[in-house]
Amino acid sequence: MNKRKFGILLPVSSLPSEEGIGTMGKSAYQFADYLHGVGGSIWQILPLNPTNYGDSPYQSCSSNALNYYFIDLHLLKEEGLLTQSEIDTADLGGDKRRVDYGKQFYNKTALLKLAFSRFEKDKQFYDFVKGGEYADFAVFMALKSKFGHRPWTEWEQPYRDYNEEVIQKFIAENTDEVEFWQFTQYIFLKQWKKLKAYANGLGISIMGDIPLYLAYDSVEVWKYGNKLFDMGEDRSPNSVAGCPPDAFSDDGQLWGNPVYDWKKMQADGYKWWKQRIADCFKVYDVLRIDHFRGFDRFWKVPPTDKTARNGKWGDGPKAKLFEDILDKQIVAEDLGVLDEGVYKLMKDVGYPGMKILEFAFDGSPDNEHKPSNHTKNFVCYTGTHDNMPLLQYFTDLDEWGSKTFIADLKKECALLNVTPNCTTPKAVVDSVVELAFASKADTVIIPVQDLLGFGKEARMNLPSTVSPDNWSFRLKDGELDKELSDRLTGLGKKYSRNNVN
């Protein structure tokens, strides 16, 4: 990561397509071509895990499974597993700007089952199944199907409590359903490996993302319970995850995920976590770890509380978990409530952290997010998937905030030899993007919304809310146009971030 470069944050789900959601098909290859053409070398995406209630990739039912919504149906047609008519007549959502996850859940899954009915189960497939990497996910999803997709806590016995003998009997009696869910992973990886190889051939690295926590309704909680998590024998949580009250929220954020029992994990050298990270590097070139500060200390909240206000800090594994993988290309999401423990953890592991320009222009010369205060070993962003698009943030500021933002922006531009343009809100956004390119940070990643100067309508996620507007934003065909291409190419060359093969 120690070479000047830039990339674009664009989730797979946000790619244009005719299938109601971004896929690993034509538009993914077109985006790789576009990124290469403008000199970019990193494509950052969000977690590829299957989404759960609320559609968040950070609330997944599995730590390692892959989101079958991203399977490209037209590539399945090329394999003779679907017809064009079957794809055309399926209602996968007609809104080019928004994903309809309900239609993906029902109608895309039905199409994948149709494709599976025509799939020839050859030796390669059975070797994949025998490998067992996705066996737990396949059984879990087959059981969910059996029980009307209800959470595992509502399954009938003997399935609610994981039992190996019961599971093997279930597999034998439901082989086709279990193999279907294996098929979703097999096909995903087949399409993904081709796409990733294509991007890598253009000099583009894929930066993936790993959530710190899992959903309560997940394979791991169902199977392992208190062997991995802070919970009782009955798998009821002793505490749940969140973050403490701060300047942005008097109540903090209550996420509700089960938290890990780090003391038990320490006994085998954090084997489960190390395997999880190793699995990620089979899929990604670079890995961003979400809520990295949680490895130092984490906020745990009584499970019956309605806010995170009454939580308390618990100790995480600190740098011990990472001592064998310090050479990996990992980016630590080190945002939020920081203290000396987090700074020590970051120093001990040496991974680059993140700086967010949306937080930078507050009038304080000591603000660590200001480009003039950056050092090399960071990734500079204008914003993340959880922030407002920069245009929305700027236009929502009050008079004092707006004047402070502009004054600070002009000072920063002067320090980094950038010519600011503050004539319109869109021009302000473009100036902040240029400042990111001018930063000392080795790597710059810009969310596609900020490159295009989109506002409120393009926000990816509003934290701690469940809404059809979360995680559903999509690009439309043609929005990554020549004007943007020329601008990015120019910025990359001007600030020595152009990817030259």
Side-chain angles (χ1 to χ4, degrees):
M1 298 292 288
N2 57 357
K3 171 190 167 188
R4 285 178 71 80
K5 59 177 76 73
F6 81 91
I8 296 176
L9 169 54
L10 177 63
V12 174
S13 61
S14 295
L15 288 164
S17 84
E18 298 301 315
E19 299 180 17
I21 194 170
T23 71
M24 297 175 284
K26 180 181 176 182
S27 64
Y29 287 83
Q30 289 174 337
F31 177 70
D33 287 337
Y34 185 89
L35 184 56
H36 171 68
V38 299
S41 54
I42 298 178
W43 177 6
Q44 183 178 338
I45 58 177
L46 296 184
L48 291 176
N49 307 98
T51 54
N52 210 327
Y53 172 74
D55 309 317
S56 171
Y58 295 90
Q59 288 274 1
S60 183
C61 64
S62 170
S63 65
N64 73 327
L66 301 156
N67 193 339
Y68 46 93
Y69 296 162
F70 301 157
I71 293 172
D72 188 78
L73 300 176
H74 290 83
L75 293 178
L76 294 183
K77 184 191 78 170
E78 291 177 10
E79 293 190 47
L81 299 178
L82 292 173
T83 67
Q84 188 63 52
S85 173
E86 289 163 346
I87 297 171
D88 290 343
T89 55
D91 182 5
L92 300 173
D95 189 341
K96 300 294 186 185
R97 186 61 86 200
R98 294 284 169 193
V99 177
D100 186 325
Y101 283 97
K103 290 178 179 177
Q104 294 293 313
F105 177 77
Y106 290 107
N107 300 338
K108 185 151 193 174
T109 305
L111 279 176
L112 292 174
K113 287 199 169 185
L114 181 59
F116 176 63
S117 71
R118 297 165 179 160
F119 173 69
E120 185 177 337
K121 302 173 191 175
D122 56 10
K123 182 179 184 299
Q124 190 175 11
F125 174 71
Y126 281 119
D127 285 346
F128 175 83
V129 172
K130 191 182 294 185
E133 192 169 354
Y134 302 97
D136 289 341
F137 167 74
V139 169
F140 187 76
M141 294 302 290
L143 281 163
K144 269 190 163 293
S145 297
K146 175 182 175 68
F147 292 111
H149 302 286
R150 299 198 303 275
W152 64 262
T153 51
E154 297 178 16
W155 296 352
E156 297 170 10
Q157 293 291 18
Y159 304 105
R160 189 166 65 243
D161 296 327
Y162 185 90
N163 177 285
E164 190 63 35
E165 186 177 333
V166 170
I167 293 307
Q168 290 306 316
K169 185 172 184 290
F170 174 80
I171 293 172
E173 294 171 350
N174 298 273
T175 302
D176 199 57
E177 180 70 15
V178 174
E179 286 184 351
F180 164 70
W181 292 106
Q182 290 274 18
F183 166 80
T184 66
Q185 303 303 288
Y186 177 80
I187 290 294
F188 184 105
L189 285 168
K190 183 178 180 180
Q191 293 189 0
W192 177 256
K193 286 176 180 176
K194 286 182 180 178
L195 174 61
K196 182 175 177 295
Y198 183 82
N200 290 166
L202 297 175
I204 295 168
S205 298
I206 306 291
M207 184 193 293
D209 199 327
I210 181 174
L212 177 61
Y213 293 119
L214 293 165
Y216 185 62
D217 183 27
S218 65
V219 178
E220 286 77 11
V221 175
W222 170 64
K223 180 174 181 179
Y224 297 110
N226 66 357
K227 295 187 178 98
L228 292 180
F229 302 96
D230 179 22
M231 52 184 54
E233 287 286 344
D234 63 351
R235 289 168 295 175
S236 60
N238 296 324
S239 54
V240 297
C243 66
D246 57 22
F248 300 101
S249 171
D250 291 338
D251 290 327
Q253 292 181 31
L254 182 61
W255 301 332
N257 312 71
V259 298
Y260 299 106
D261 189 327
W262 289 115
K263 287 185 178 178
K264 283 187 179 176
M265 285 188 164
Q266 184 181 16
D268 65 2
Y270 308 106
K271 182 179 177 181
W272 181 86
W273 251 103
K274 289 181 178 180
Q275 184 60 53
R276 187 183 182 195
I277 292 173
D279 288 343
C280 286
F281 278 104
K282 296 176 186 176
V283 180
Y284 310 125
D285 301 301
V286 185
L287 180 63
R288 173 192 178 275
I289 301 182
D290 191 59
H291 198 57
F292 195 78
R293 72 103 53 243
F295 292 102
D296 174 55
R297 291 193 303 160
F298 60 97
W299 193 247
K300 53 182 182 178
V301 183
T304 56
D305 280 18
K306 302 301 182 187
T307 76
R309 187 188 289 269
N310 296 319
K312 61 182 180 180
W313 290 108
D315 273 329
K318 307 186 189 302
K320 190 76 175 172
L321 191 153
F322 302 97
E323 60 186 4
D324 301 328
I325 52 172
L326 297 179
D327 59 335
K328 292 289 188 183
Q329 290 200 71
I330 288 174
V331 173
E333 189 267 287
D334 58 342
L335 308 174
V337 179
L338 304 185
D339 52 32
E340 288 307 311
V342 181
Y343 291 123
K344 183 179 186 306
L345 172 62
M346 294 297 293
K347 183 179 178 182
D348 289 345
V349 297
Y351 301 144
M354 295 170 56
K355 300 300 180 191
I356 310 297
L357 296 196
E358 191 168 290
F359 303 155
F361 309 109
D362 62 353
S364 168
D366 299 323
N367 185 319
E368 65 183 40
H369 294 284
K370 277 184 163 53
S372 60
N373 292 331
H374 292 179
T375 53
K376 291 181 64 178
N377 193 36
F378 285 96
V379 183
C380 174
Y381 292 80
T382 51
T384 76
H385 61 272
D386 280 338
N387 295 117
M388 298 179 192
L390 193 54
L391 182 70
Q392 179 192 3
Y393 178 82
F394 177 70
T395 54
D396 280 1
L397 290 172
D398 60 21
E399 184 178 358
W400 180 89
S402 180
K403 285 181 178 178
T404 302
F405 189 104
I406 293 295
D408 249 6
L409 175 60
K410 288 179 176 178
K411 287 177 186 175
E412 287 296 302
C413 285
L415 289 169
L416 276 72
N417 297 315
V418 173
T419 302
N421 180 351
C422 301
T423 55
T424 66
K426 171 67 164 62
V428 169
V429 171
D430 290 346
S431 294
V432 176
V433 169
E434 182 164 355
L435 262 182
F437 273 78
S439 164
K440 295 174 191 173
D442 284 327
T443 304
V444 167
I445 306 285
I446 311 294
V448 74
Q449 291 92 328
D450 291 344
L451 289 178
L452 293 167
F454 287 169
K456 180 179 181 179
E457 75 287 350
R459 184 167 188 167
M460 194 65 188
N461 178 51
L462 181 61
S464 296
T465 68
V466 176
S467 163
D469 291 336
N470 287 347
W471 314 111
S472 60
F473 168 76
R474 300 177 65 202
L475 281 181
K476 294 180 181 179
D477 280 324
E479 289 184 322
L480 296 177
D481 58 16
K482 187 177 186 304
E483 180 183 353
L484 177 60
S485 174
D486 291 344
R487 184 159 64 91
L488 284 173
T489 303
L491 289 173
K493 289 178 179 176
K494 183 176 180 179
Y495 297 105
S496 303
R497 296 188 184 278
N498 212 287
N499 176 25
V500 179
N501 285 332

